[in-house]
């Protein structure tokens, strides 16, 4: 059995990793760390894990982690970059769910994340863990930077359009709606049910940290500069992201449905719905799937792509496990054969 | 006291009209009709009205309505156009919350509403009831067509940009999110809590009935043709609309904040938030206000306008009462001094 | 105009007081205090107040409050007892929405609230502000302790049974469900939407602070000791309390419906529904009403009373305004003619 | 592989059966019937099934079902009783998720379900499918009547108390709260999001169909008559049941925590939480588990049991699969190793 460790096991991506990994047939969760809950049983903090694991939280240090084959970081930004190098030197594979290794340019990273990067030399070794574009690189990687939730939903929707060059890459719009679990398990007034229940609002319109990440990803497939307007919104639900993406067609002869179906025909976790279907986040809740639809309202030159994921699964923990499977040579969907929890 | 009648008092816009009108100091609700609930007390069907009214539902015929000064239609589309003419001939003012008189072109109306119009000759007499652009006409009108909920939020956000010509009117985008009360008090699987709770989805992307209405309204102020991509979404909440509007600046020197503040400085129900504020639907829940914010992410040429209303108030019943006040020469905000029910 | 001050204007009961008082015809809100937001406009923190008030938050000291006629405390427990005496000496009426003066026994208070009482000598001067039982006392009071939200819903449901002695007072059960706004506008993990949305749980079963308050209130009308099992629950909604109350009939001949209707026939804010009706919290959302139903399943000896209120209105701010009206000799329902925001 | 058929595959228990069975290692879903959707792909109606099955709905007749080893009925009441006999005669095992075979007394059944029973002679052959009390009988059964959702949560909470006789069985109270998916995938106004979102109410207080089922189950373990007051409530969430159960202790010396832990120590799906823990429905969402807590507030003679399940899993489809496993000699938890989808 492959031994995995989870650093930062008390947040929502941490518990979601546990949910997936305790049922993964090739893996045993041997270490779960938490600074705040050392010595406490994991299933005391997370009763959903009762009957599935009996570990206690330990401190996140090398001693506790060195016997692992793979270590996941489900930590706030700025933690993984402090520990990754030592783990890698021990031959441990590192899968980072935080933002530490997503941006290739450390200056850009520092600007958006408000701190200088602790190990800039490692960034270029990190592979951006979106399997649909980086599968081969991920298979050979020892350090994978898992994409953010917004970037996953947004890139999967735009990729077929940008790689084929059928749209104008200088005026893209991503209007994205997220459930509140994206805000994390952190005490804050803005994420209270009284603030977010029965209400809808945009936020960070002037600039969200996921913008440079998305732009970087889109430019790498477009092979040209990309200009994106990205507006995130908070939706009164717990899980789910719905990206509504807009682009202007430059090739009006293209069959968009065929383009999308072909682009993703080999992908097990990206699923192009039939024409005139609209994806619902509840259909992918708890699953690692992305449901896509592509439309061209009134036959005009504006393409609308609808892309839904579960932000905690394909947008975080599920994609991390998918990356782990690739890195370890396991079947890509092992432990990820999940049906959406509808209704 | 002015005597008002409400035709179709059993839907959500009907009960919302009642909520507002029973507290209006110049008005008495003398008739409430319902085909399905004749003889039943209104407050049996709607216990929220207990202590506020003791009427019973009556049949929606001329005999019951002829003593009214004003009649509101809170009916499905296709009803008001059958009764309006007779009421008008009796000198009764008619305020229609349905779509019957919103579209000036009866052929276009027939195409989108799937039936031919019963009194096309009356359409040109109807005034489109968006007071912020038609105040004077409304004051003199005897027949007012209240705007739809999506059109209200969308037009109020786009108007300052289009009237001043600072944006390209050929590539507008309205990404609009609505609470489920917009679907009405109608038994249907798609509006069940099990379907819409904890889920988010787009619908009618290929074409929604509010599209021609919005386009007509925007073109009338833009004085040129307008091309709009309109994508409505269903949000897991009961009340509220959040429109996120996108337009490309053609005049990059414009001070957008100043433009919006000036445009609406005399409006009591349209409120431009301070820079870097983002409107929340819960701040206008139950009130007749529209909160607006205008942004220009990263100083680029893409304008983003955020516009929120309560779909049942400024998007329906509240705006109808505002129109009534104008038509009767009452203060425009009478009976509408409402504070949003936050949280 | 009567000048009112609100101490602690940044919590949910504070903003709810503002919502009600800015529309009250006899009152002007002259002071709103907040330690954390001094100098900030109230409507910056609470955009729902835009257009309704232009005050800024000031510090909660005597200098700022001394010109008021009435001061409301919408503070955490333990604050009102520090300031009340000085205000009363200035002839200012004090209405406390916190728990400081609810419990007549200071030793019992200290036990449940974890601190000793700062002015025990004042407690006996405080009138418990449940108008339905203490109306005359409230009219003459200078210090009123407003009941908690659970106690209001629970007592209004039990009172007719206990005052007439038709049930066994030694085995009462109150199974009460609250929306999460009852937890306040405080950053805490347990009140996050991710924790409370789409979930239901009991809490504080072993003992909740509202238990001694309810027991005290029930005993005062029962004229005998009362034994109550009180189980509070957190419900995935923002506003509303639903109390389901159980008692064993000792007089099986009683006509419960008639008893309840008679008991509350003069009460404007307590409303007994028709037989076989079940109250919904959404019917009283935003209003100061309590809807009650009384049932006797299968004609047995178990009485079930259903009692719903809006926890922030009849359970807090609305009842406080009702008390203010009584204390000032105003009509009891002035500023409180509110229709529930359904749907 | 065992071939299973699902009659009535379009409701919420039907789709939940599919979710579980497509991942069950010993089973293949060979037939899914639906009168209304014959010929339509299952994953067109339920996009959450995409990638997991390619069947189309067929008509619910013997021809389509005769090759099955097991047939589940996820139908409205009154359907299974028409088809069960023929299936049983073909040697097919029948697992009924509807109420047709739950009540042993056909006269009582007819009274509560408003129709006479079509095959009363079969009722006594049906085993009530609550494995925690009927495991051996289920293993030998060919016809199993799966318990209702309320009865499952309620009985699992009361069983330890009644079987040991430590409480008075003549004054039990079950105050039970359900998510709205319990109302089914049926177009009805009362289950609209606009009606049930942000609202809480009781219903059917005068008598709910699950009352006789619960009473029958409790009496069979109590070996004496049981008197239960059962009050169901609708909660603004999709999935989950929370039962709050009240009973009066007659043996005050009992260690309730120890009693419950011992009673369920061998049960894989019933889990007694540590003292002072309170179960949350979100911890069992999507899983087949029941979380229990038992309390004795203030050390009095009133026992409070808290019992939570996912109404669609342990309250319906999961329990049905658990029964199938038992009937087929498979490990009881096969296909049911599910972690609750928290958050």
């Amino acid at each position: 059995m492959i031994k995995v460790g989870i650093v930062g096991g008390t947040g929502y991506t941490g518990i979601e990793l546990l949910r997936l990994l305790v049922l993964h047939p090739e893996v045993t969760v041997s270490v779960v760390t938490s600074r705040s809950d050392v010595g406490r049983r994991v299933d005391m903090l997370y009763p959903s894990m009762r009957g599935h694991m009996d570990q206690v939280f330990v401190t996140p240090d090398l001693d506790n982690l060195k016997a692992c084959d793979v270590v996941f970081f489900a930590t706030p930004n700025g933690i993984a970059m402090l520990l990754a190098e030592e783990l890698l030197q021990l031959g441990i594979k590192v899968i980072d769910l935080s933002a530490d290794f997503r941006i290739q340019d450390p200056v850009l990273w520092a600007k958006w994340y408000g701190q200088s990067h602790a190990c800039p030399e490692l960034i270029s070794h990190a592979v951006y863990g979106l399997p649909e574009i980086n599968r081969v690189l991920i298979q050979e990687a020892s350090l994978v930077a898992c994409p953010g939730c917004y970037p996953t939903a947004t890139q999967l929707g735009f990729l077929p359009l940008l790689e084929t060059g059928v749209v104008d890459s200088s005026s893209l719009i991503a209007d994205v709606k997220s459930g509140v679990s994206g805000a994390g398990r952190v005490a804050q007034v803005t994420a209270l049910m009284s603030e977010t229940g029965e209400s809808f609002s945009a936020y960070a319109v002037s600039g969200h940290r996921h913008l440079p990440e998305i732009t970087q990803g889109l430019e790498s497939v477009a092979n040209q500069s990309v200009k994106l307007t990205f507006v995130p919104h908070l939706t009164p639900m717990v899980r789910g992201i719905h990206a509504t993406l807009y682009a202007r067609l430059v090739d009006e002869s293209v069959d968009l449905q065929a383009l999308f179906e072909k682009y993703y025909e080999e992908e097990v976790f990206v699923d192009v719905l039939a024409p005139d279907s609209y994806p619902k986040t509840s259909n992918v809740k708890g699953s690692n799937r992305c449901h896509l639809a592509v439309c061209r309202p009134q036959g005009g030159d504006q393409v609308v792509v609808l892309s839904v994921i579960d932000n905690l699964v394909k947008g975080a923990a599920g994609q991390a496990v998918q990356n782990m499977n690739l890195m370890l040579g396991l079947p890509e969907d092992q432990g990820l054969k999940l049906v959406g929890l509808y209704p």
Side-chain angles (χ1 to χ4, degrees), chain A residues 221-266:
Chain A
V221 299
N223 279 318
Q224 57 176 309
S225 77
V226 156
K227 213 158 121 205
L228 171 70
T229 301
F230 170 57
V231 179
H233 302 75
L234 209 52
T235 302
M237 62 187 186
V238 178
R239 284 178 181 242
I241 282 184
H242 185 291
T244 312
L245 309 173
Y246 300 89
R248 199 175 54 78
L249 268 184
V250 291
D251 172 4
E252 300 212 9
S253 69
V254 66
D255 178 339
L256 291 167
Q257 181 73 25
L259 170 65
F260 270 69
E261 288 182 3
K262 178 135 185 46
Y263 192 87
Y264 286 121
E265 69 185 340
E266 304 294 330

Side-chain angles (χ1 to χ4, degrees), chain A residues 70-299:
Chain A
V70 183
V71 168
F72 291 88
F73 283 88
T75 44
N77 302 318
I79 308 293
M81 66 185 183
L82 302 176
L83 271 167
E85 194 142 27
E86 291 174 298
L87 293 168
L88 291 168
Q89 280 167 358
L90 293 171
I92 299 172
K93 291 182 189 297
V94 173
I95 301 175
D96 181 18
L97 283 80
S98 83
D100 287 8
F101 298 100
R102 290 177 191 162
I103 306 283
Q104 284 295 315
D105 176 353
V107 177
L108 189 64
W109 190 89
K111 179 190 151 201
W112 284 91
Y113 289 90
Q115 53 184 314
S116 44
H117 203 284
C119 57
E121 70 287 356
L122 214 54
I123 298 178
S124 63
H125 297 284
V127 174
Y128 188 67
L130 193 61
E132 289 75 12
I133 51 171
N134 279 341
R135 182 166 288 110
V136 174
L137 290 173
I138 294 164
Q139 285 167 334
E140 293 159 6
S142 52
L143 171 59
V144 165
C146 290
C149 50
Y150 285 129
T152 297
T154 302
Q155 289 177 81
L156 291 176
F158 272 136
L159 288 178
L161 299 174
L162 288 174
E163 195 166 325
T164 56
V166 298
V167 297
D168 173 12
S169 69
S170 74
S171 61
L172 304 177
I173 291 172
D175 188 291
V176 195
K177 301 86 176 172
S178 175
V180 296
S181 59
R185 193 170 167 278
V186 179
Q188 49 184 329
V189 166
T190 51
L192 294 179
M193 171 111 183
S194 297
E195 296 294 317
T196 58
E198 270 292 304
S199 192
F200 190 95
S201 61
Y203 68 101
V205 181
S206 57
H208 185 284
R209 288 169 171 184
H210 284 171
L211 174 61
E213 179 186 342
I214 301 171
T215 303
Q216 169 186 280
L218 295 181
E219 290 186 340
S220 77
V221 299
N223 279 318
Q224 57 176 309
S225 77
V226 156
K227 213 158 121 205
L228 171 70
T229 301
F230 170 57
V231 179
H233 302 75
L234 209 52
T235 302
M237 62 187 186
V238 178
R239 284 178 181 242
I241 282 184
H242 185 291
T244 312
L245 309 173
Y246 300 89
R248 199 175 54 78
L249 268 184
V250 291
D251 172 4
E252 300 212 9
S253 69
V254 66
D255 178 339
L256 291 167
Q257 181 73 25
L259 170 65
F260 270 69
E261 288 182 3
K262 178 135 185 46
Y263 192 87
Y264 286 121
E265 69 185 340
E266 304 294 330
E267 293 298 336
V268 62
F269 292 123
V270 185
D271 189 359
V272 181
L273 302 190
D276 300 319
S277 302
Y278 303 126
K280 286 177 69 167
T281 60
S282 59
N283 284 324
V284 299
K285 189 164 45 185
S287 97
N288 197 47
R289 294 195 160 230
C290 172
H291 279 188
L292 291 175
V294 57
C295 322
R296 196 172 155 184
Q298 290 89 49

